[in-house]
């Protein structure tokens, strides 16, 4: 039996590093939980669509920009890091970056589109679990990252540090929400809290460094934009004109 | 990643010619049934159908092994979690390094049911994406009144995934050649630079794209593919197939 177990775990570890990212997998949530997460995400999607329409009305380049940022989030959130105990792989999310650039509401649309393409064509996440994934990565990731960025900016913290904190908070908020979704979906008749703690703890070894990586990605992006194209940051209302001139 | 995206769905076949709207509606209905199913019959039938489909479509082994290896790993781990950490009725005892572990029968059954559901749901979505080009999916979603903002973002994103992926590979290789990922600190910094460069490219491309599209008559609205009327044969076939699936679900 021990050999059989070793074989199974060995097979798993051999297998996982060769594959891409996983959000909450297709079919894992019972139907009532799947509907619940769709319903919870719906108002945020509606708000995002409203903001997108308003922003695209005055700027013809805005829709292509949102599409490009979606492609970027798709690429970043397809980078795999295996999480053995949970049976999933983890990944940077990229939503902090899209929330800083486009605002958190439009970032929800960005995440929804990236997740839909991944679900349809890469089997990362799923269509039945799309609501759950939009809520964890799109809503929680975007709003937490954006809030962290804005709060620290208001406290006059250096912009690159603000971006780092935004990436870190967005990533950890996403994975805590994913733990809640997984625990509620797979617990069956078992107690919720112990399972939530187990799943959240299982994410810690990958998510602590991944959060730092996500922070570094976001900080790197802002740092590069500050050096090369501060005008773009001014245009996107991230930087004031007088700050850019300094 | 982009190889997987672009390889599907390759050659012409009978399912590719079926109306995308019907395929999406049918897939959505079957997905609901799979997620709501308690037994094994429906999910396992769908997994079998998907395997047959992969063979019939001659999908390269690399493509589908990449696509299904992660869900397969997830299924294995879920079964183990359920077997050892949930259930009441002991099935066997195991001694590992002085620790006594119990495997539960009801936990195993729960795990297998969950695994079957994942496999079935994944099969439905995979068959849809193996047999339907992205443009047909977008067009069908538009017919289904999915908001225009989402449709247009999907179209732009799908186009630019290939472009940005290529640029990411070029930048990554250039960084590697300059020892960019030689230690953790440089790795983090290089990765940040990579993301930053891609963001800059994205911002610049968006300006160029908008300008090029405006010159070609873009007024903020993207044209959609026109749908032909539904064919009675396809509608009847879909209804028949759905009835068979409902029958399997009810057993």
């Amino acid at each position: 039996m021990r050999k059989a177990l070793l074989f199974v775990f060995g097979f798993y570890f051999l297998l996982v590093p060769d594959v891409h990212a996983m959000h909450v997998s297709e079919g894992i949530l019972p139907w009532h939980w799947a509907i619940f997460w769709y319903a919870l995400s719906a108002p945020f999607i509606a708000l995002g669509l409203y903001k997108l329409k308003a922003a695209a009305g005055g700027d013809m380049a805005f829709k292509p920009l949102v599409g490009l940022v979606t492609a970027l989030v798709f690429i970043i959130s397809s980078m795999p890091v295996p999480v053995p105990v949970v049976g999933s792989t983890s990944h940077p999310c990229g939503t902090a970056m899209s929330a800083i650039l486009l605002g958190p509401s439009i970032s929800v649309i960005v995440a929804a589109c990236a997740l839909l393409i991944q679900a349809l064509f890469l089997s990362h996440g799923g269509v039945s679990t799309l609501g759950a994934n939009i809520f964890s990565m799109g809503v929680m990731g975007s709003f937490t990252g954006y809030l962290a960025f804005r709060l620290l900016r208001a406290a006059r913290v250096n912009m690159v540090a603000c971006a780092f904190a935004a990436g870190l908070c967005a990533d950890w908020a996403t994975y805590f929400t994913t733990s809640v979704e997984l625990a509620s979906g797979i617990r069956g008749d078992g107690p919720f809290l112990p399972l939530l703690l187990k799943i959240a703890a299982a994410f810690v070894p990958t998510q602590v460094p991944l959060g730092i990586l996500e922070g570094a990605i976001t900080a790197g992006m802002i740092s590069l934009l500050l050096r090369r194209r501060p005008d773009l940051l001014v245009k996107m209302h991230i930087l004031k004109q007088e700050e850019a001139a300094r | 990643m982009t190889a997987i995206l672009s390889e599907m769905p390759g050659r012409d076949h009978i399912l590719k010619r079926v109306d995308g709207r019907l395929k999406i509606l049918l897939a959505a209905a079957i997905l609901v049934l799979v997620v709501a199913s308690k037994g094994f019959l429906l999910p396992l039938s769908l997994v079998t159908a998907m395997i047959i489909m992969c063979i019939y479509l001659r999908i390269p082994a690399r493509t589908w092994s990449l696509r299904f290896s992660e869900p397969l790993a997830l299924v294995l781990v879920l079964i183990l979690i359920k077997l050892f950490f949930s259930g009441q009725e002991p099935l066997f005892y195991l001694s590992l390094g002085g620790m006594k572990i119990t495997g539960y029968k009801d936990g195993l059954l729960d795990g297998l049911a969950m695994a079957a559901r994942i496999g079935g749901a994944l099969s439905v979505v995979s068959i849809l994406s193996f047999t339907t080009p992205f443009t047909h999916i977008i067009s069908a979603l538009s017919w289904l009144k999915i908001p225009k903002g989402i449709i247009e973002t999907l179209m732009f994103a799908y186009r630019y995934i290939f472009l940005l992926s290529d640029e990411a590979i070029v930048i990554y290789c250039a960084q590697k050649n300059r020892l960019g990922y030689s230690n953790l600190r440089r790795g983090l910094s290089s990765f940040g630079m990579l993301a930053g460069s891609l963001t800059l490219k994205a911002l610049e491309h968006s300006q160029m794209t908008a300008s090029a599209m405006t010159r070609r008559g873009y007024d903020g609205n993207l044209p959609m593919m026109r749908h032909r009327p539904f064919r009675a044969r396809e509608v009847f076939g879909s209804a028949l197939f759905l009835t068979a699936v409902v029958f399997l679900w009810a057993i």
Side-chain angles (χ1 to χ4, degrees):
Chain A
M1 180 53 85
R2 189 183 297 185
K3 277 185 183 171
L5 274 176
L6 280 174
F7 173 76
V8 168
F9 278 110
F11 176 66
Y12 171 68
F13 281 111
L14 278 176
L15 214 53
V16 170
D18 291 326
V19 292
H20 301 279
M22 172 77 79
H23 314 283
V24 178
S25 170
E26 185 75 88
I28 200 167
L29 296 179
W31 65 271
H32 52 282
W33 279 110
I35 291 173
F36 174 78
W37 294 113
Y38 263 111
L40 216 56
S41 304
F44 293 97
I45 292 175
L47 179 67
L49 286 169
Y50 172 76
K51 295 258 183 185
L52 177 62
K53 195 177 174 186
D59 182 4
M60 208 73 101
F62 196 74
K63 278 181 189 170
L65 172 67
V66 173
L68 273 151
V69 174
T70 306
L72 201 60
V73 168
F74 175 91
I75 293 167
I76 288 174
S77 63
S78 295
M79 294 171 181
V81 178
V83 187
V85 182
V86 181
S88 171
T89 57
S90 226
H91 52 83
C93 304
T95 41
M97 184 173 60
S98 62
I100 292 171
L101 288 176
L102 305 170
S105 310
I106 295 173
S107 177
V108 175
I109 303 296
V110 165
C113 292
L115 287 164
L116 181 62
I117 301 174
Q118 286 178 340
L120 283 173
F121 294 98
L122 300 177
S123 301
H124 302 163
V127 177
S128 65
T129 54
L130 188 63
N133 288 324
I134 290 173
F135 190 78
S136 58
M137 200 173 109
V139 177
M140 292 303 286
S142 302
F143 279 89
T144 311
Y146 186 77
L147 272 177
F149 184 79
R150 283 292 162 193
L151 284 174
L152 290 175
R153 282 290 288 155
R156 298 185 182 282
V157 175
N158 171 283
M159 186 177 285
V160 177
C162 293
F164 180 86
L168 189 81
C169 294
D171 189 274
W172 288 352
T174 298
Y175 277 91
F176 182 73
T177 315
T178 304
S179 307
V180 171
E181 290 167 352
L182 279 171
S184 53
I186 67 170
R187 75 189 175 103
D189 299 326
F192 171 74
L193 204 57
L195 186 59
L196 169 66
L197 293 176
K198 270 180 206 159
I199 293 175
F203 273 125
V204 166
T206 52
Q207 231 43 55
V208 170
L210 261 178
I212 296 167
L213 177 68
E214 178 107 40
I217 291 173
T218 319
M221 173 207 71
I222 288 287
S223 160
L224 203 69
L225 282 174
L226 267 174
R227 273 186 281 129
R228 293 211 200 145
R229 295 291 303 270
D231 57 307
L232 285 173
L233 292 177
V234 174
K235 191 184 164 194
M236 295 173 128
H237 309 293
I238 300 165
L239 195 67
K240 285 179 188 150
Q241 189 71 53
E242 55 269 29
E243 287 176 299
R246 265 182 242 153
Chain B
M1 178 174 64
T2 49
I4 300 173
L5 278 170
S6 56
E7 274 166 18
M8 291 183 282
R11 63 185 59 82
D12 191 36
H13 50 82
I14 188 164
L15 281 171
K16 193 176 170 184
R17 277 172 264 142
V18 173
D19 196 312
R21 295 168 294 176
L22 276 178
K23 278 191 276 187
I24 284 195
L25 288 172
L26 193 61
I30 299 172
L31 195 59
V32 170
L33 290 172
V34 173
V35 174
S37 69
K38 298 271 180 222
F40 292 91
L41 188 60
L42 174 62
L44 293 183
S45 308
L46 289 166
V47 171
T48 313
M50 187 201 53
I51 293 169
I52 293 169
M53 188 67 67
C54 284
I55 296 167
Y56 168 68
L57 296 177
R58 281 177 283 157
I59 292 167
R62 185 183 161 274
T63 303
W64 60 269
S65 63
L66 267 176
R67 188 165 173 158
F68 302 124
S69 52
E70 187 175 310
L72 177 67
L74 171 72
V75 160
L76 284 174
V77 176
L78 271 177
I79 292 172
L80 288 175
I81 288 174
K82 283 282 180 184
L83 172 66
F84 292 112
F85 297 111
S86 77
Q88 307 288 328
E89 197 182 331
L91 181 68
F92 61 86
Y93 297 99
L94 197 68
S95 182
L96 268 178
M99 254 178 30
K100 197 177 171 189
I101 303 174
T102 311
Y104 297 97
K105 188 182 169 186
D106 42 346
L108 177 65
L109 286 173
D110 264 3
L112 289 174
M114 197 177 280
R117 208 172 62 204
I118 293 171
L122 191 68
S123 302
V124 176
V125 178
S126 301
I127 291 173
L128 174 71
S129 62
F130 281 152
T131 59
T132 318
F134 186 74
T135 45
H136 291 200
I137 290 180
I138 287 290
S139 170
L141 289 176
S142 165
W143 181 82
L144 286 165
K145 303 287 177 217
I146 297 293
K148 212 173 81 177
I150 291 183
I151 299 286
E152 290 181 344
T153 307
L154 279 171
M155 286 170 78
F156 279 119
Y158 192 75
R159 160 75 183 84
Y160 289 115
I161 282 168
F162 299 94
L163 185 90
L164 287 182
S165 294
D166 289 346
E167 283 182 359
I169 291 165
V170 170
I171 296 170
Y172 177 77
C173 291
Q175 286 176 322
K176 286 275 273 187
N177 287 342
R178 291 174 176 82
L179 303 176
Y181 294 90
S182 53
N183 58 43
L184 183 67
R185 192 185 159 87
R186 292 193 72 168
L188 282 175
S189 153
S190 302
F191 205 86
M193 286 290 282
L194 172 79
S197 305
L198 283 179
T199 311
L200 259 179
K201 294 266 181 198
L203 294 172
E204 282 160 5
H205 275 305
S206 73
Q207 301 286 335
M208 287 190 289
T209 305
S211 143
M213 285 173 73
T214 311
R215 277 186 217 136
R216 287 167 177 79
Y218 176 62
D219 59 354
N221 295 300
L222 289 174
M224 284 289 137
M225 211 166 84
R226 284 210 182 137
H227 292 285
R228 56 175 163 76
F230 283 112
R231 285 181 188 153
R233 195 177 47 177
E234 288 179 0
V235 175
F236 181 71
S238 304
L240 205 67
F241 187 73
L242 186 60
T243 312
V245 172
V246 171
F247 180 71
L248 283 176
W249 178 77
I251 292 175

